[in-house]
Amino acid sequence: MLRFRPPAFPLSILRKVFTIQTQQRYLISCFASASYIGPGSNPLFKQRQQLREPLSQFTSTTTSFSTLAAIDIMPTSEFPINGLLPKEETQAASFIRKNPTFDGRGTVVAILDTGIDPGSPGMQVTSDGKPKLIDIIDCTGAGDVACSKIIEAEAGSSEDGKAVHKLLGLSGKTLILSASLTNPTGKFRLGLKHQIDLFPAGVHARLQKEKKKRFQTENNLLVTKVLRDLDTLEANSSIDKDEKELLKQDHKTRLEVLKELEKNWRDDAVIDCVVFHDGKTWRALVDTAGSGDLTEKKPLANYREELQYEQWDQESMLNYSVNIYDEGEILSIVTTCGPHGNHVAGIAAANYPEEPALNGVAPGAQLISLRIGNGRLGGMETGCGLVRAAIDLARLKPDLANISYGEASATPNHGRFVQLIRDEVVNAAPGCIVIAAAGNAGAALSTNGTPGATCNSIIGVGAYATREMMRAQYALLDQVPDIPHTWTSRGPASDGDIGVEIFAPGSAITTVPQSNLARSQLMNGTSMASPNFCGCASLLVSALKAEGVPYNPYRVKSAFRNSGKDVGDEANVPFVQVEKAWAHMTAFPDLQALNVNYDVKVTSGGKLGRGIYLRDIDETTEPQTSQVDVSPRFYNQDAPETNDQRIALDVRLTLRPSESWISSPEHVLFHNPGRGFAVRVDPTGLKPGAHHGRVDAFDTSNMDAGPIFSVPVTVCKLDGVPSARNSAETTPTPSFLSWRRLRFQPGQIRRQFVAVPVGASFAQLTVKSANRDSPARFIVHTMQLGKQTRRSVFEQQYGIELSRNGSAGADEQASTHTKLFRVLPYVTMEICLAQFWSSLGDSEVDVEVEFHGVNVAISSGNQSPAGFTNGSDLTLVNQAGGFARLDYWSALRTETVSASASLDTLRRYVRPSSYVVSALKSRDELPSARQLHQIVLTYTFAVAKGTGPVNVTPRVPRFNDLVYDNPIDSFELIIYDGNKKELQYADVYAKTVKVADGATYTVRVRLASTDTDLLEKLNATVLVIDQALAKPITLAAYQTLDAVVAEDSSLSFKKKTALPRGARTVAWLALDNVAVPKDAKPGDVLIGDLGVLGDRTVEGGLYKFGLVVAPLKAEKDATAAAATDKSEENEDEEKLIKEAVRDLEIQWIKKIKDDSARKTLVDRLVKEWPEHLPLHETILNQLGESAEKEEEKLVTAAAGKEKNDVQLPTETLASIETAAQRILTLVDEKLLRQDIGSRAPTDAADHLPPRTAAVKRATAKHNADIDVRKSAVVAAHGWLAWVKTRGNDGTQDPVPHLEALAVYIPSPPTKNPTYLVPWATHVASKGLHGAALKATGTWLAEGGNAGDRRWAAVTRIRAKSLASVGWEGWSERDRVRTIVDRPAEFSLF
């Protein structure tokens, strides 16, 4: 609807004006106060004069508008509203007009996507008044909340005196519930959820901006208050000068702290959840406001039970619902993770009672939302979500399901999800028609995605653009004919199956979630085509149900395929036509052969497939004969009643090739279990390019029904022998091809198929604009198909803009785009160019492709190896050999080569430290009561101190990059820090996360399957961790082996070495003195790129080089030698044994769980070794750490209570003090400080005279003794300072011990928590909260400190200081951040 703001005309004049414009179908385009479209920009401007005379009679009516006749009035047509969501082209609209009750009513459509917002426009009711959305399920687990803690509520009263229930939530807040809640057991389950996990990324980003604005205002007020306090302090003359200086400095420090807090602000909102059973069903309360007051919240039941949902708040406009599983153990808070799913649902079935023109295709259909987009991955689907969605489809039994998701796969029609959809959803009664997007990866062939266009049981839909869509949605200056979208994926599948089966409109403007703050949105893609077709299928099923016409998914698929409109597609893909499909269904109601799915298996040249696909040079240069075996798959085939259908299937088929170059038998008698026949394809006479055909099998008794099945045939005929690049050359070479003046119209696609020469390793593709004055968008797409390999591995796709400036003859001014990329030798490559349909005007383009062959054999031997590696390989060489040999061969032309290696990644291999196999629960139970099980593998790895923050990428190669074709049901990986905080969630696509150095991390991997034996076999699965190096390691290259050994730089390999065609050369890489990083262990691998092309860069790199880390070189440890040199010390063996036993028993002091057994051991050791400092230090640390744990328990128990100050028992503190004083009694600190100050170096320095071995050993022994004494004294003073800060009477003074620590630990307190905890406690007690906040904040910000046992103590010190300075907002944020950063348990998968 066009909207404008009219001026203050008298109503009588307005009525007459509008009458005139209505009669003449003109619209006022502007008034005096508005700008208007001028004659140079709109041809309709000329017609405004036609309206000036009728309007001139009003010019004297008002002085304000005396120039009304000059107002520009522009003619217009009706807005093409039908093009917003196309229905006319598919016959859907006319079908409903003729059959108003066949509008989808009676059907249920499941949408597997990012979720549907129950409050969004068009999602309220169906056309016949039923609820539109009947179930909402999050299959991903992203919204799961563990509710394992069970408590009983305390009776209380609200501020207005009403009776309430009170609970202490897991966030630490007191939750207030209405006393009117029905809960017969009186027990409540508590949960806690990080809010960010529930919000779509776009909504979260919008809210963060608003929250940050409010926060900055609050923080500015705090800054102002500190400045005023500072002024007050300055003016106060009653304070001691030294004390004033300390306080002034502390206030300045507070300003620094506030600045740092603002810089590092983040939203850590957590949500308390309460789950309970009301005697009939489970219900949940979610504290979306974060206030703790739930008295006005209506408890939500599972959405399907009561169709209830709530809005999070007015600011977010995010709606949510809940589902509760496993007797209340798991609460699933269901939101959308993006607008995509809502848009898809709107296309399929939106209903607008007040404006039916905006309806979806099937407004009468009801919907089920199955969210498979995981918000933790930005909406990416996971195996867990897909399998659960398949389980829900089998359980809920909808009539249709739409999947506007997909990925490339290595093997078509394969994988766990594909199997479940086929066997449990489509082929099991009552039979669900599953429809999926074909993908947006075109324009090259074989770009169809999984599952949509690679799976037999799913109907794959491509995207089409019609003129009406172009008018309404794209605002083009001109129109082009109806055409498939340029980017829509094309078939065939890599195994020859047709792939894309039907076209549907591939864009729409329709409903989006309310949280998008918009009513509708334009989206395009096969994601939009699929629900449009799904809506069409819903209309057909609605009619079939209403008329009692029997059907199954196979029959419906056949009807659409055989009745679609021929749009001239190169692969004969039709455009959906609803009325014709209905006619097909009703014309052949008893044709049994159409109720069966036919599985086609083709054997050709040792290859197995589902169609005939001739692509490589050997296949397309001579006739090929393939064996075709077709077997029937009966609907609900495991049911006993299907046996009658098996017996009855007896079809007399006639086989009809669609093309003259295809031959097949004329007739075949087909029956169960199937028949085979041969098909001959003769490609020898075909022109270069893509050729599509098929062998159609017709039932001779019902030829008009169309093919019963088809065998697709695709031939990619190669361009001829490449021409020589230089016209002066007489001998053609296969390494260069060119195509000149290729003409393109909008939407036109040109394909060239090239035989990549033997020996080629990379190609250079150049595209030039030959004749164009304005920019035009093109897709450039190259494709090679590798066996059991995702197409993306050898695919290059990029968009370019071609234009031209200057005269027609100025070739140098033509826009040129060049790419270098890897190729597979002797594998056909498609070079595809496509002008976007929306880029108007014709184009002429020049294309060149030049193949290069720089082949390298990499070995650790000193003799030439037998073969060469391909550029896609990772070649490993062991560092222990000291060198790597590189043998070069230029296969196609003279090349400039170089030799270098840059290693930028450390690849580490980790075995699991533990694993657990267990049964999953209710959501993961397959039909027939088959239960999914899981194995959870736990790994740990550490990053060495001093490396700085590093990027790590954990992965499991055997499952990575496999989504739909994964053999197991689910793969998930989560990495945690030492506090159990989740740092990164990942699925089959490895994710990189930055971690701090000096810390240990945990990785948990979950694999799910029904096969427990398989899971047990996976219990030692290796985790691979790729750790980025702070600085790449560069390997030097030499011309000879002798030069490597001598490291003779004069014989370095030249940076640019010319290598003629057929010539060979050798380079040598020096490996012996490579400085491996700290974290590297023998067997790990240093990985990087092998540079062989000089300055040229190949997309994705050409050769990957891996260096296996050798065993570390032996380094003489003087300290260890001093301790173990028996010949010099003459220590007897008996004494050594006693000391070894003592040291082992000391290690067990902390490990023993029984206190009495520990006391017995300690008493005996003290008696036997009364002056052994390591023993006394261990005893002290055990006592202190036990006290810390006890204090932590007391703090936890006191949480939420009015008085939460805790005090350790006096005897506990006394025992620590006694143990510490014992150490100080044994050590002469004055002598220790002298020894530390005069400590001699272990190894001889340059300025010292040489020392004998005996002197070195003595020095090392003395230094070791200093270290032992220092460690014990630091522990003693640290624990004494800790004890002194535990008293509440103010009589304890930790300062002497803090001063001692400052001597022994010269670094700041933030570098050592033993020093930090008592220091910060002390300075805070003196009112220096700025210093305490700065120190604790600095320590907590160091990611490497996560997991330190004193982490909680540091956060408590910080919390007290924040409360003391009155920064309530920051105090609450810090409290919540502590919950987020140190969860009680690992997060759920």
Side-chain angles (χ1 to χ4, degrees):
M1 178 183 296
L2 296 178
R3 302 177 62 187
F4 60 89
R5 184 179 61 188
F9 267 19
L11 289 178
S12 60
I13 297 179
L14 278 176
R15 292 192 188 100
K16 293 181 180 179
V17 172
F18 290 156
T19 299
I20 293 170
Q21 68 180 52
T22 301
Q23 290 173 348
Q24 302 186 29
R25 300 186 60 80
Y26 284 164
L27 179 69
I28 297 177
S29 64
C30 61
F31 288 94
S33 61
S35 60
Y36 59 88
I37 300 173
S41 57
N42 195 323
L44 299 179
F45 183 84
K46 298 177 182 178
Q47 302 180 35
R48 74 177 186 266
Q49 297 297 332
Q50 300 175 12
L51 208 60
R52 283 186 173 179
E53 284 188 15
L55 286 173
S56 64
Q57 59 183 299
F58 303 113
T59 57
S60 62
T61 304
T62 173
T63 57
S64 300
F65 289 90
S66 59
T67 57
L68 184 58
I71 294 176
D72 298 313
I73 306 298
M74 311 294 285
T76 185
S77 60
E78 292 288 344
F79 188 88
I81 194 169
N82 291 331
L84 296 179
L85 201 162
K87 300 182 283 289
E88 295 291 346
E89 301 91 326
T90 62
Q91 301 181 338
S94 59
F95 184 74
I96 293 177
R97 285 195 293 269
K98 296 174 184 177
N99 309 279
T101 60
F102 298 168
D103 63 350
R105 64 189 68 182
T107 67
V108 176
V109 179
I111 304 294
L112 283 69
D113 216 286
T114 61
I116 303 174
D117 175 7
S120 60
M123 292 292 115
Q124 308 310 306
V125 296
T126 64
S127 57
D128 56 345
K130 294 179 180 178
K132 172 63 69 174
L133 198 50
I134 60 174
D135 210 347
I136 307 176
I137 300 171
D138 179 4
C139 303
T140 69
D144 284 3
V145 185
C147 299
S148 56
K149 185 172 183 178
I150 304 174
I151 66 171
E152 294 185 4
E154 296 180 359
S157 58
S158 61
E159 293 181 357
D160 57 3
K162 293 182 180 179
V164 295
H165 294 311
K166 290 188 176 182
L167 304 168
L168 180 61
L170 296 185
S171 72
K173 294 178 182 175
T174 298
L175 306 180
I176 304 173
L177 284 60
S178 172
S180 63
L181 290 179
T182 302
N183 183 358
T185 66
K187 297 184 183 300
F188 294 89
R189 287 182 172 270
L190 302 181
L192 192 69
K193 188 66 175 175
H194 199 185
Q195 181 174 291
I196 192 174
D197 293 339
L198 301 172
F199 278 51
V203 178
H204 178 72
R206 169 169 62 83
L207 294 179
Q208 293 313 287
K209 291 181 181 178
E210 296 302 318
K211 286 186 177 181
K212 191 163 187 178
K213 288 179 184 177
R214 295 194 293 269
F215 141 75
Q216 287 173 332
T217 300
E218 174 191 330
N219 207 55
N220 289 339
L221 292 174
L222 294 177
V223 170
T224 301
K225 184 179 184 302
V226 174
L227 289 172
R228 288 174 178 169
D229 290 345
L230 192 57
D231 291 340
T232 302
L233 183 64
E234 183 70 39
N236 191 339
S237 59
S238 62
I239 304 177
D240 177 77
K241 182 179 178 181
D242 292 338
E243 183 181 355
K244 179 185 284 190
E245 285 303 315
L246 281 175
L247 291 174
K248 283 170 58 179
Q249 183 57 47
D250 192 70
H251 277 68
K252 292 177 182 178
T253 303
R254 294 181 192 186
L255 293 174
E256 294 177 20
V257 170
L258 286 171
K259 184 178 180 180
E260 193 67 19
L261 288 172
E262 180 175 350
K263 177 183 175 182
N264 297 321
W265 177 86
R266 74 180 195 220
D267 183 19
D268 283 314
V270 292
I271 305 303
D272 277 299
C273 305
V274 180
V275 173
F276 64 95
H277 198 280
D278 67 0
K280 295 181 180 179
T281 190
W282 286 97
R283 296 189 177 276
L285 292 163
V286 183
D287 184 18
T288 56
S291 65
D293 186 355
L294 302 174
T295 53
E296 299 300 320
K297 283 278 187 180
K298 185 175 181 179
L300 296 179
N302 289 355
Y303 180 84
R304 186 177 185 85
E305 296 177 17
E306 298 175 352
L307 307 185
Q308 294 179 332
Y309 68 92
E310 282 202 349
Q311 190 177 86
W312 198 272
D313 55 35
Q314 186 68 25
E315 187 177 30
S316 70
M317 297 294 288
L318 180 71
N319 294 315
Y320 72 96
S321 57
V322 306
N323 290 304
I324 303 167
Y325 301 100
D326 305 325
E327 297 301 310
E329 289 183 8
I330 296 294
L331 165 66
S332 174
I333 303 175
V334 189
T335 61
T336 62
C337 67
H340 189 270
N342 219 86
H343 197 271
V344 165
I347 294 172
N351 180 54
Y352 292 86
E354 297 179 356
E355 196 171 2
L358 299 178
N359 283 353
V361 179
Q366 293 183 296
L367 296 174
I368 294 173
S369 173
L370 299 178
R371 178 177 145 182
I372 60 172
N374 195 316
R376 294 174 286 184
L377 298 172
M380 174 72 190
E381 74 269 53
T382 63
C384 173
L386 291 170
V387 169
R388 282 179 177 168
I391 292 171
D392 283 326
L393 288 175
R395 176 176 61 87
L396 298 173
K397 303 186 186 306
D399 300 286
L400 305 102
N402 182 84
I403 309 173
S404 287
Y405 263 69
E407 297 287 323
S409 60
T411 308
N413 205 38
H414 170 77
R416 186 65 177 134
F417 176 73
V418 173
Q419 177 190 353
L420 288 173
I421 290 293
R422 180 188 64 223
D423 297 340
E424 308 291 351
V425 179
V426 174
N427 203 46
C432 178
I433 302 165
V434 181
I435 298 144
N440 306 328
L445 299 185
S446 299
T447 50
N448 36 351
T450 300
T454 64
C455 305
N456 282 349
S457 55
I458 297 174
I459 302 174
V461 187
Y464 202 78
T466 67
R467 290 194 176 195
E468 194 71 6
M469 294 163 58
M470 298 173 196
R471 289 182 62 216
Q473 300 175 22
Y474 292 98
L476 298 180
L477 293 174
D478 201 355
Q479 294 184 38
V480 298
D482 296 358
I483 195 170
H485 274 286
T486 312
W487 35 254
T488 188
S489 290
R490 267 76 174 184
S494 59
D495 64 355
D497 186 63
I498 188 172
V500 183
E501 295 186 277
I502 201 159
F503 282 127
S507 60
I509 298 177
T510 189
T511 180
V512 289
Q514 287 184 313
S515 58
N516 271 44
L517 304 185
R519 181 176 175 83
S520 61
Q521 184 177 331
L522 168 64
M523 295 187 192
N524 53 32
T526 55
S527 286
M528 284 62 248
S530 182
N532 195 301
F533 176 80
C534 186
C536 293
S538 175
L539 301 182
L540 185 62
V541 173
S542 177
L544 293 169
K545 282 187 165 185
E547 296 295 303
V549 179
Y551 73 96
N552 65 38
Y554 307 140
R555 180 69 180 88
V556 171
K557 178 179 178 180
S558 177
F560 277 112
R561 177 70 187 172
N562 287 337
S563 66
K565 177 182 177 181
D566 184 356
V567 292
D569 178 67
E570 60 180 332
N572 196 40
V573 177
F575 184 78
V576 58
Q577 300 287 275
V578 177
E579 290 184 325
K580 291 182 179 180
W582 170 242
H584 191 280
M585 290 291 301
T586 55
F588 308 101
D590 301 320
L591 187 54
Q592 172 63 21
L594 291 174
N595 292 323
V596 178
N597 190 75
Y598 297 88
D599 293 330
V600 176
K601 175 183 169 184
V602 175
T603 306
S604 177
K607 298 191 305 183
L608 294 177
R610 293 176 294 154
I612 300 172
Y613 195 5
L614 308 180
R615 188 176 172 103
D616 289 330
I617 187 168
D618 293 335
E619 299 171 330
T620 57
T621 52
E622 58 185 14
Q624 303 289 322
T625 299
S626 303
Q627 175 63 27
V628 178
D629 295 293
V630 183
S631 57
R633 179 159 25 101
F634 294 88
Y635 169 68
N636 201 21
Q637 62 183 6
D638 294 331
E641 55 267 24
T642 307
N643 290 334
D644 291 336
Q645 299 176 32
R646 289 187 171 92
I647 296 172
L649 183 66
D650 190 81
V651 189
R652 298 169 185 176
L653 298 177
T654 179
L655 302 181
R656 292 191 173 182
S658 65
E659 309 296 333
S660 60
W661 40 272
I662 305 173
S663 305
S664 69
E666 186 175 358
H667 297 289
V668 170
L669 180 62
F670 190 88
H671 46 70
N672 190 54
R675 285 293 305 273
F677 52 88
V679 173
R680 185 173 183 269
V681 178
D682 185 359
T684 56
L686 298 178
K687 295 180 179 180
H691 300 269
H692 302 270
R694 63 195 180 278
V695 177
D696 292 325
F698 293 85
D699 184 339
T700 55
S701 64
N702 286 281
M703 297 290 289
D704 292 339
I708 302 300
F709 64 83
S710 298
V711 180
V713 180
T714 306
V715 176
C716 299
K717 185 70 173 178
L718 306 181
D719 271 20
V721 176
S723 61
R725 178 163 191 169
N726 189 335
S727 59
E729 296 178 5
T730 57
T731 304
T733 169
S735 61
F736 177 78
L737 295 97
S738 65
W739 300 268
R740 304 296 181 187
R741 297 282 180 171
L742 294 177
R743 295 188 62 84
F744 289 86
Q745 294 178 336
Q748 186 170 359
I749 300 172
R750 289 188 177 274
R751 311 181 191 281
Q752 318 295 333
F753 295 92
V754 179
V756 177
V758 174
S761 57
F762 70 97
Q764 177 177 304
L765 180 68
T766 303
V767 180
K768 300 179 182 179
S769 175
N771 185 16
R772 188 171 179 92
D773 295 326
S774 59
R777 293 172 60 212
F778 274 75
I779 290 177
V780 180
H781 205 166
T782 67
M783 174 77 71
Q784 289 183 284
L785 299 180
K787 301 300 180 185
Q788 296 185 41
T789 303
R790 300 183 73 173
R791 66 165 190 269
S792 54
V793 175
F794 293 102
E795 173 188 34
Q796 293 289 322
Q797 183 190 41
Y798 50 96
I800 62 174
E801 188 174 273
L802 287 179
S803 62
R804 166 185 186 83
N805 298 314
S807 65
D811 290 340
E812 67 277 5
Q813 295 183 2
S815 61
T816 303
H817 298 265
T818 300
K819 288 279 186 177
L820 276 71
F821 52 90
R822 297 179 305 169
V823 295
L824 277 173
Y826 209 64
V827 175
T828 294
M829 179 173 70
E830 177 185 356
I831 302 174
C832 174
L833 266 74
Q835 180 174 328
F836 270 88
W837 65 263
S838 55
S839 288
L840 304 180
D842 295 349
S843 306
E844 289 187 355
V845 179
D846 292 340
V847 180
E848 297 177 354
V849 61
E850 183 175 72
F851 292 102
H852 296 259
V854 177
N855 297 278
V856 182
I858 307 172
S859 69
S860 55
N862 60 16
Q863 302 298 311
S864 178
F868 291 84
T869 184
N870 181 267
S872 63
D873 297 332
L874 170 64
T875 302
L876 299 180
V877 174
N878 200 307
Q879 182 192 9
F883 65 87
R885 174 180 171 130
L886 310 180
D887 283 76
Y888 291 74
W889 171 49
S890 178
L892 302 176
R893 64 181 70 250
T894 297
E895 301 282 3
T896 299
V897 300
S898 60
S900 65
S902 179
L903 309 179
D904 57 10
T905 302
L906 171 63
R907 179 162 292 174
R908 306 167 65 181
Y909 300 91
V910 184
R911 291 283 187 186
S913 56
S914 64
Y915 76 92
V916 176
V917 177
S918 61
L920 292 169
K921 297 192 177 180
S922 59
R923 279 190 291 181
D924 301 289
E925 184 176 315
L926 295 167
S928 305
R930 287 181 296 145
Q931 182 68 57
L932 279 174
H933 287 70
Q934 67 176 358
I935 182 171
V936 177
L937 303 155
T938 301
Y939 307 81
T940 59
F941 72 95
V943 177
K945 189 71 175 177
T947 60
V950 296
N951 288 326
V952 296
T953 309
R955 56 195 181 85
V956 181
R958 68 169 68 186
F959 300 115
N960 285 136
D961 301 326
L962 301 175
V963 183
Y964 294 92
D965 49 344
N966 207 312
I968 63 172
D969 293 76
S970 176
F971 170 90
E972 295 169 282
L973 179 153
I974 304 179
I975 181 171
Y976 304 87
D977 69 9
N979 281 341
K980 299 183 180 179
K981 178 186 177 182
E982 179 179 319
L983 300 180
Q984 181 70 65
Y985 171 89
D987 65 334
V988 296
Y989 296 114
K991 298 290 187 299
T992 298
V993 61
K994 180 169 283 188
V995 299
D997 59 332
T1000 299
Y1001 299 89
T1002 299
V1003 177
R1004 300 174 76 227
V1005 172
R1006 180 171 78 165
L1007 310 172
S1009 174
T1010 54
D1011 187 345
T1012 54
D1013 290 338
L1014 172 62
L1015 295 179
E1016 285 289 353
K1017 291 178 181 178
L1018 297 172
N1019 63 28
T1021 298
V1022 171
L1023 177 74
V1024 175
I1025 300 172
D1026 283 348
Q1027 179 174 322
L1029 302 182
K1031 184 179 180 180
I1033 299 171
T1034 302
L1035 304 182
Y1038 299 89
Q1039 298 179 34
T1040 67
L1041 179 58
D1042 290 346
V1044 170
V1045 176
E1047 296 185 348
D1048 185 352
S1049 59
S1050 66
L1051 292 174
S1052 296
F1053 194 87
K1054 294 181 180 179
K1055 292 183 178 180
K1056 292 184 178 181
T1057 299
L1059 196 62
R1061 178 182 176 182
R1064 299 171 184 261
T1065 192
V1066 179
W1068 304 80
L1069 296 178
L1071 309 179
D1072 198 37
N1073 293 319
V1074 172
V1076 299
K1078 292 181 180 180
D1079 289 314
K1081 301 292 187 295
D1084 290 343
V1085 180
L1086 291 166
I1087 293 173
D1089 290 318
L1090 186 66
V1092 299
L1093 300 178
D1095 297 334
R1096 292 176 293 177
T1097 302
V1098 173
E1099 196 89 13
L1102 188 58
Y1103 291 98
K1104 290 292 182 182
F1105 181 78
L1107 182 64
V1108 180
V1109 176
L1112 302 179
K1113 294 180 179 179
E1115 295 184 5
K1116 188 173 182 180
D1117 188 330
T1119 302
T1124 58
D1125 192 336
K1126 309 302 182 295
S1127 61
E1128 292 291 329
E1129 301 296 333
N1130 295 316
E1131 294 179 310
D1132 59 73
E1133 292 182 351
E1134 183 178 354
K1135 181 182 177 183
L1136 292 173
I1137 292 173
K1138 284 183 178 181
E1139 290 177 348
V1141 172
R1142 174 201 65 195
D1143 294 342
L1144 182 61
E1145 288 181 320
I1146 289 174
Q1147 294 177 22
W1148 274 92
I1149 290 175
K1150 289 186 178 182
K1151 298 179 182 179
I1152 295 177
K1153 296 181 180 180
D1154 183 80
D1155 290 339
S1156 62
R1158 180 188 296 107
K1159 185 177 184 306
T1160 301
L1161 175 62
V1162 167
D1163 290 345
R1164 178 172 59 79
L1165 287 173
V1166 170
K1167 184 178 180 179
E1168 295 175 1
W1169 308 90
E1171 297 183 357
H1172 187 60
L1173 284 174
L1175 168 61
H1176 293 293
E1177 183 179 353
T1178 302
I1179 294 170
L1180 174 60
N1181 285 333
Q1182 188 276 321
L1183 291 170
E1185 290 170 21
S1186 295
E1188 284 180 328
K1189 292 178 182 178
E1190 186 178 353
E1191 185 178 57
E1192 185 75 15
K1193 290 178 181 178
L1194 292 173
V1195 170
T1196 302
K1201 297 180 180 179
E1202 292 184 4
K1203 185 177 181 180
N1204 58 10
D1205 287 337
V1206 300
Q1207 184 66 43
L1208 287 168
T1210 304
E1211 56 271 21
T1212 300
L1213 298 176
S1215 64
I1216 297 172
E1217 192 166 4
T1218 300
Q1221 291 294 351
R1222 184 183 297 123
I1223 291 175
L1224 297 181
T1225 301
L1226 293 173
V1227 178
D1228 184 340
E1229 287 194 70
K1230 184 177 180 179
L1231 178 60
L1232 173 61
R1233 293 177 185 182
Q1234 291 176 353
D1235 288 343
I1236 292 174
S1238 60
R1239 179 173 183 148
T1242 300
D1243 297 322
D1246 293 339
H1247 62 280
L1248 293 177
R1251 294 177 295 174
T1252 64
V1255 171
K1256 289 182 179 180
R1257 284 195 297 272
T1259 300
K1261 186 175 182 180
H1262 179 66
N1263 287 345
D1265 176 66
I1266 292 173
D1267 290 338
V1268 169
R1269 287 182 287 154
K1270 178 182 174 181
S1271 176
V1273 169
V1274 167
H1277 283 296
W1279 284 115
L1280 283 170
W1282 185 84
V1283 168
K1284 301 298 183 184
T1285 55
R1286 263 39 204 172
N1288 291 330
D1289 57 2
T1291 60
Q1292 303 290 331
D1293 184 9
V1295 172
H1297 304 293
L1298 294 175
E1299 290 176 344
L1301 288 173
V1303 172
Y1304 299 119
I1305 308 175
S1307 57
T1310 54
K1311 298 297 183 182
N1312 192 312
T1314 299
Y1315 188 4
L1316 173 64
V1317 171
W1319 181 90
T1321 303
H1322 174 66
V1323 297
S1325 70
K1326 298 301 181 181
L1328 303 178
H1329 297 292
L1333 288 171
K1334 183 176 181 179
T1336 54
T1338 301
W1339 189 83
L1340 291 170
E1342 289 288 335
N1345 293 326
D1348 190 287
R1349 72 173 194 274
R1350 286 145 301 197
W1351 201 89
V1354 174
T1355 59
R1356 286 198 297 275
I1357 297 168
R1358 184 174 177 78
K1360 288 182 179 180
S1361 285
L1362 285 170
S1364 297
V1365 295
W1367 297 353
E1368 295 179 359
W1370 277 116
S1371 181
E1372 176 62 15
R1373 290 187 193 95
D1374 232 51
R1375 187 187 68 80
V1376 174
R1377 178 171 293 193
T1378 300
I1379 295 171
V1380 171
D1381 287 350
R1382 193 169 181 257
E1385 301 293 340
F1386 289 119
S1387 58
L1388 298 174
F1389 282 100

